[in-house]
Amino acid sequence: MLKVEGLHTYYGRAHILADVGLEVAQGEVVVLLGRNGAGKSTTLKSIIGLVPPAEGRISFRGTSIAGRQPYEIARLGLGYVPEERRIFTELTVDENLEVGRRSANGTTPVWTPDRLFVLFPNLARMRERAGSQMSGGEQQMLTIARTLMGNPACLLLDEPSEGLAPVIVEQMADTILELKREGMTVLLSEQNLRFAHAVADRALIIEKGRIRFAGTMAELMANEAVRTQYLRL
Amino acid sequence: MDLILIQTLNGLASASSLFLVASGLSIIFGVTRVVNFAHGSFYMLGAYIAWSLVSRFGSASALGFWGGVLLAALLVGLVGLLIEIALLRRIYQAPELFQLLATFGVVLMVQDVALASWGPQDLLGPRAPGLRSFVSIFGNRFPTYELFLIVLGPIVLGALWLLFNKTRWGTLVRAATLDREMVGALGVNQRLLFTSVFFLGSCLAGLGGALQLPREAVNLHMDLSIIAEAFVVVVVGGLGSVTGAYLAAVLIGVMHAFGILIFPKITLVLVFLIMAVVLIVRPHGLMGRKPSLVQQGATMREPLLSPATREIKLLGAAALAVLAIAPLLLGNYGVSLLTELVILTLFAASLHFMMGPGGLASFGHAAYFGLGAYGAALAAKWLAAPMAAGLLFAPFLAGLAGVVFGWFCVRLSGVYLAMLTLAFAQIAWSVAFQWVELTGGDNGILGVWPAPWAAGKTTYYYLALVLCTALVLALRVAIFSPFGYALRAGRDSPVRAEAIGLNVTRINWLAFIIAAIAAGIAGGLYAYFKGSVFPTYMAISKSVDALLMVLLGGVQTVSGPIVGAFAFAWLQDWLVRGIAEYWRLVLGSAIVVLVLAFPQGLVGTALRWRGRSQDDDVPAEAVR
């Protein structure tokens, strides 16, 4: 579904991503693990086009998307959920969802506000509330719901568990598993190994802008050495 | 009692047209973050185009008049659309000041296009069919057209509210105002959104202008007079807030109407006093909010100021030597030109001092230059002061204005600051223009001659050269002194600078005052050089001259403004002598082309070619 090869990204002259490659198959949940500043967010931003890569091929459902505008990439069915949540603080929950709304393109389930409120019951109780009046967990739910309104075929989730209370993290994991059951393809970045273990089929480890490990989640859990080298703080 | 009512109604009527223009400006700024200087030009074009259309369709029929007015608004919208696509789209990522400057280039171009199309004479518009009569209010005759305008304001406000709150387009626009990048990542084509917003805003300005037809004669000065007031309305109301713009327009319209009764001499000052009071109480306007940090992060990083290398110092010394022996080689005209150049260099360097290291972009720096000139002239005229005293009084007056105006300005940043400095410059200008008894008004003050010992052209040149060189070097020393470092720290990260104990507001204030004093000395020298002063010394165009010099040279070097002043003076001399007619069109196009071609300025571009790019040593952490 999503394939990245030889991706190089720079901020000014700083080389952030070097030869990053990854692949996500239909219906799969893949996690990109790594420490702060390893290049996780940049990888996702390069894919969605917010930080245009200098080099590399990115194809999504057979279409080459490297170098395209973010809105064009999003319209092809790639949904991006940013790390900082970036909900529209002065818009209500309903209005935030409205901004994300795009018509379905056949292959994916059709998300409506009503279906999303089943998935995120908290949001149903605050449809008229302004984004700035919501808690961090509620904002995180809203930002995912907002992206789902575009009926994407694949989700890019940037650190969905970051800064959330443990009970909300569990809800978040359930939500992702629910989306997987619906047939959603997910590429997420994470620092929380437990959370990643709960949701992901496969794992990639990125360190200093290079992919250092790729394998199934079970392989990573069995490989103490890799975890110590790249993930332990 | 009657008078109060009538004046209130008068105020409300002018508030409506002011609101139409200001709301367009505010909407455009909210989404694109561009302060569109050309918005006043759209207003003027609306009036001119409506005049032509109504004349052609026949002003007697309702269809002819109202059809002409509406069509004019749409045509102005199309002009805005073209300008957005051809120009603004390319500079959305450029620093704010370049955007302001580019749209000012459009102002100049539109002025000459209007002059060529409609001629220099004022054009009287027809009355509106069906609204030509008067109604009697407490025995006073009040025009029905004014009543129509009073009603129109709230109707447009309501329509805009519905558009922004009840349509998908409006929701997208509000979302883009908050975080336009995220809107794009959700699949919305921002370009289309920006263009449509620009179209709407331009239509509103055009409508505002077209509706003025029955009220006042169409003339070539409508653009700059409305833009200054619209800036005030938008700053008072809060940038990006349409409701705020309406409240502010009403406040200013009504105060203006009463001001004419009470202080007919200083109505313009009154408008700006209201603004000052509102900004003390609410720094971001009546309905405005503090701009969020996300958006500030999206703008360009401030360039690094590098100390001069050995070669550049040698080059500077050589240039100074050339300037010192130049009078021996040049005739009278050449010496005069050089004197003006040297004075302009100090003017440019003073603006650079607050703009470069301070990050305080002033759009009204001519105020301090002009106040310096008036300081010298007033001292000469009223106190019969000798030149030395006049040259001392010049920076005193300019510095005093710097203390007062600066106190307000340094509390804001970015475009807010630029708009406020512009507004203060307009106050200074209107005092010089309106207070005829003191300043001679439009006729200026004549007979400001230097002392006998400095009366010779060459002697005066050397006097200017010595004073200006000393002051430019002093400013340079200040930039690389601890004060200069503190100033730059405050510019780059106000929060961190505050955290290490720097009082950023006070440091900026001090920089503002120093810049004002230096500009005042330049103005004083200029007054004695020309022998006369006029309100135009403080006009918007003079402030833009200074900005052009600094930006032409580049903000990131100390030598930039000096090179820029010389390049600018040469360009202007060439323009005025070469093509007397339509020089605005040429200058405006030149500004637009320069902004598009050299977003780094001349010196910045030269440095880039030499490979001394500012990107060199930016640590990866800083940009992540």
Side-chain angles (χ1 to χ4, degrees):
Chain A
M1 168 149 297
L2 177 67
K3 190 172 181 186
V4 176
E5 291 168 289
L7 195 66
H8 289 265
T9 301
Y10 298 80
Y11 283 128
R13 298 203 175 167
H15 200 165
I16 305 297
L17 295 184
D19 198 23
V20 166
L22 59 87
E23 204 167 338
V24 186
Q26 168 83 46
E28 208 180 14
V29 176
V30 175
V31 66
L32 189 59
L33 288 157
R35 297 186 182 115
N36 268 340
K40 303 185 296 293
S41 290
T42 306
T43 305
L44 298 189
K45 283 182 179 168
S46 296
I47 295 173
I48 192 68
L50 287 176
V51 181
E55 246 183 82
R57 287 170 301 284
I58 309 174
S59 73
F60 176 63
R61 298 208 280 188
T63 312
S64 168
I65 58 170
R68 292 219 197 174
Q69 291 286 317
Y71 82 90
E72 295 174 310
I73 299 172
R75 284 178 179 189
L76 290 171
L78 199 55
Y80 170 70
V81 179
E83 179 183 7
E84 316 84 0
R85 296 178 195 135
R86 294 171 77 164
I87 57 162
F88 304 114
T89 45
E90 285 164 33
L91 270 54
T92 63
V93 168
D94 275 349
E95 286 173 335
N96 266 283
L97 294 179
E98 173 63 23
V99 176
R101 181 168 66 84
R102 300 216 71 80
S103 55
N105 43 16
T107 57
T108 47
V110 179
W111 289 99
T112 60
D114 289 335
R115 279 204 63 209
L116 286 166
F117 291 140
V118 176
L119 192 63
F120 303 107
N122 285 355
L123 296 181
R125 291 193 290 274
M126 50 182 79
R127 297 178 59 164
E128 293 299 317
R129 190 174 294 184
S132 54
Q133 308 290 315
M134 300 167 74
S135 74
E138 289 157 359
Q139 290 190 348
Q140 185 67 58
M141 300 293 174
L142 177 58
T143 181
I144 295 176
R146 182 181 65 183
T147 301
L148 288 173
M149 281 295 286
N151 291 297
C154 174
L155 265 188
L156 304 175
L157 279 177
D158 202 354
E159 299 214 26
S161 79
E162 195 198 18
L164 299 183
V167 57
I168 310 286
V169 173
E170 268 176 45
Q171 278 181 27
M172 187 61 70
D174 291 342
T175 306
I176 292 172
L177 290 173
E178 177 64 30
L179 288 172
K180 179 179 159 69
R181 270 194 293 281
E182 299 262 359
M184 182 68 79
T185 309
V186 181
L187 172 62
L188 73 155
S189 77
E190 255 314 325
Q191 290 198 60
N192 181 337
L193 187 61
R194 264 177 54 115
F195 180 82
H197 187 209
V199 299
D201 305 313
R202 284 197 299 117
L204 299 158
I205 292 181
I206 189 166
E207 166 76 12
K208 289 190 180 152
R210 288 179 185 277
I211 300 286
R212 309 287 177 163
F213 169 90
T216 63
M217 203 66 221
E219 283 166 4
L220 176 63
M221 296 317 282
N223 193 337
E224 170 92 40
V226 165
R227 276 185 286 135
T228 312
Q229 190 180 352
Y230 296 119
L231 301 179
R232 192 146 302 159
L233 294 174
Chain B
M1 186 61 212
D2 306 359
L3 196 63
I4 291 179
L5 183 73
I6 292 295
Q7 283 311 103
T8 308
L9 290 177
N10 276 330
L12 285 174
S14 21
S16 282
S17 41
L18 195 52
F19 165 66
L20 286 178
V21 179
S23 63
L25 190 67
S26 200
I27 293 168
I28 290 175
F29 174 81
V31 177
T32 63
R33 299 280 136 188
V34 171
V35 174
N36 180 22
F37 223 112
H39 208 69
S41 308
F42 294 163
Y43 169 83
M44 181 173 79
L45 274 182
Y48 271 117
I49 294 176
W51 184 86
S52 292
L53 290 177
V54 172
S55 306
R56 170 158 299 192
F57 297 161
S59 58
S61 76
L63 190 68
F65 180 85
W66 297 109
V69 165
L70 288 179
L71 191 58
L74 284 177
L75 285 175
V76 171
L78 282 180
V79 171
L81 191 96
L82 287 179
I83 289 175
E84 199 271 346
I85 292 173
L87 172 62
L88 291 172
R89 230 176 228 196
R90 293 163 213 281
I91 53 169
Y92 280 134
Q93 303 303 321
E96 286 155 347
L97 227 55
F98 276 82
Q99 299 169 340
L100 264 174
L101 207 61
T103 54
F104 188 79
V106 175
V107 170
L108 290 175
M109 290 160 79
V110 170
Q111 275 177 348
D112 266 358
V113 168
L115 175 65
S117 313
W118 288 282
Q121 70 282 8
D122 287 10
L123 302 177
L124 276 173
R127 298 254 200 82
L131 296 173
R132 283 177 198 172
S133 54
F134 293 82
V135 287
S136 180
I137 299 173
F138 292 116
N140 291 290
R141 276 154 53 87
F142 193 76
T144 27
Y145 187 74
E146 304 279 292
L147 281 183
F148 159 75
L149 286 182
I150 293 177
V151 178
L152 185 71
I155 290 179
V156 172
L157 175 64
L160 287 175
W161 187 88
L162 286 176
L163 183 64
F164 283 112
N165 289 284
K166 296 295 168 197
T167 67
R168 174 169 169 84
W169 183 83
T171 310
L172 293 181
V173 168
R174 282 190 297 137
T177 305
L178 296 166
D179 188 344
R180 54 186 177 191
E181 195 184 63
M182 194 60 226
V183 172
L186 288 168
V188 176
N189 185 348
Q190 295 175 65
R191 281 191 157 192
L192 225 54
L193 201 62
F194 281 27
T195 308
S196 57
V197 164
F198 211 86
F199 175 76
L200 175 70
S202 310
C203 278
L204 286 169
L207 185 64
L211 287 173
Q212 285 303 89
L213 220 47
R215 299 185 81 210
E216 60 173 327
V218 188
N219 63 66
L220 288 167
H221 307 290
M222 292 173 83
D223 53 350
L224 288 183
S225 66
I226 193 86
I227 197 69
E229 277 194 62
F231 275 5
V232 173
V233 167
V234 167
V235 168
V236 168
L239 272 173
S241 164
V242 174
T243 318
Y246 183 72
L247 289 179
V250 167
L251 185 67
I252 284 164
V254 172
M255 292 304 271
H256 203 278
F258 283 105
I260 284 182
L261 292 182
I262 305 163
F263 321 101
K265 290 266 175 254
I266 57 155
T267 49
L268 280 167
V269 176
L270 193 72
V271 167
F272 293 104
L273 276 179
I274 300 169
M275 179 176 75
V277 171
V278 170
L279 289 177
I280 294 171
V281 184
R282 293 187 62 91
H284 297 286
L286 293 172
M287 307 282 285
R289 278 171 228 87
K290 207 177 159 63
S292 71
L293 287 169
V294 177
Q295 274 143 4
Q296 286 182 349
T299 58
M300 267 173 67
R301 274 171 293 128
E302 285 293 335
L304 212 60
L305 262 184
S306 337
T309 56
R310 209 181 136 71
E311 306 104 78
I312 291 184
K313 278 183 184 158
L314 283 174
L315 209 65
L320 203 58
V322 170
L323 284 177
I325 58 163
L328 305 177
L329 311 169
L330 290 170
N332 260 351
Y333 179 77
V335 173
S336 284
L337 193 65
L338 269 189
T339 313
E340 186 162 351
L341 255 169
V342 165
I343 296 172
L344 285 182
T345 304
L346 175 59
F347 182 32
S350 72
L351 176 61
H352 171 264
F353 183 75
M354 58 188 284
M355 231 172 103
L360 305 164
S362 169
F363 229 87
H365 203 55
Y368 313 99
F369 181 81
L371 282 169
Y374 268 95
L378 290 172
K381 183 182 176 187
W382 296 102
L383 309 173
M387 185 178 80
L391 281 182
L392 280 177
F393 195 59
F396 174 74
L397 194 64
L400 202 65
V403 169
V404 178
F405 297 167
W407 190 87
F408 293 103
C409 294
V410 296
R411 278 161 173 71
L412 302 178
S413 61
V415 284
Y416 288 82
L417 183 129
M419 288 164 90
L420 195 59
T421 50
L422 177 93
F424 278 123
Q426 285 299 94
I427 298 188
W429 175 84
S430 58
V431 170
F433 190 75
Q434 288 187 322
W435 198 349
V436 180
E437 292 85 348
L438 183 75
T439 63
D442 211 9
N443 296 323
I445 300 173
L446 307 178
V448 191
W449 298 115
W453 64 266
K457 279 208 178 326
T458 309
T459 321
Y460 197 77
Y461 167 70
Y462 280 118
L463 175 72
L465 182 65
V466 168
L467 273 177
C468 292
T469 307
L471 282 162
V472 169
L473 287 176
L475 287 175
R476 208 202 94 89
V477 168
I479 288 175
F480 292 107
S481 73
F483 174 77
Y485 295 137
L487 192 61
R488 280 191 264 166
R491 173 196 73 189
D492 291 340
S493 176
V495 180
R496 278 176 239 174
E498 295 268 359
I500 58 168
L502 296 172
N503 186 339
V504 174
T505 311
R506 181 173 301 168
I507 291 168
N508 285 346
W509 192 24
L510 207 54
F512 197 105
I513 297 168
I514 292 173
I517 290 174
I521 296 173
L525 282 170
Y526 196 71
Y528 283 109
F529 166 62
K530 288 283 182 188
S532 50
V533 298
F534 300 101
T536 48
Y537 289 8
M538 293 191 231
I540 293 177
S541 56
K542 198 81 185 172
S543 294
V544 173
D545 286 354
L547 274 173
L548 267 176
M549 290 183 243
V550 173
L551 294 177
L552 205 58
V555 190
Q556 59 269 66
T557 53
V558 184
S559 51
I562 303 173
V563 175
F566 275 71
F568 173 80
W570 170 80
L571 182 72
Q572 200 182 36
D573 186 60
W574 176 74
L575 278 178
V576 173
R577 279 199 300 170
I579 21 161
E581 214 180 354
Y582 300 126
W583 64 272
R584 283 190 203 86
L585 186 64
V586 179
L587 182 63
S589 324
I591 293 175
V592 168
V593 169
L594 280 172
V595 169
L596 289 176
F598 301 107
Q600 305 280 320
L602 291 180
V603 173
T605 308
L607 287 180
R608 190 158 277 259
W609 284 340
R610 276 187 43 198
R612 227 180 82 179
S613 147
Q614 32 159 341
D615 273 340
D616 271 347
D617 25 46
V618 179
E621 285 303 315
V623 287
R624 186 160 302 145

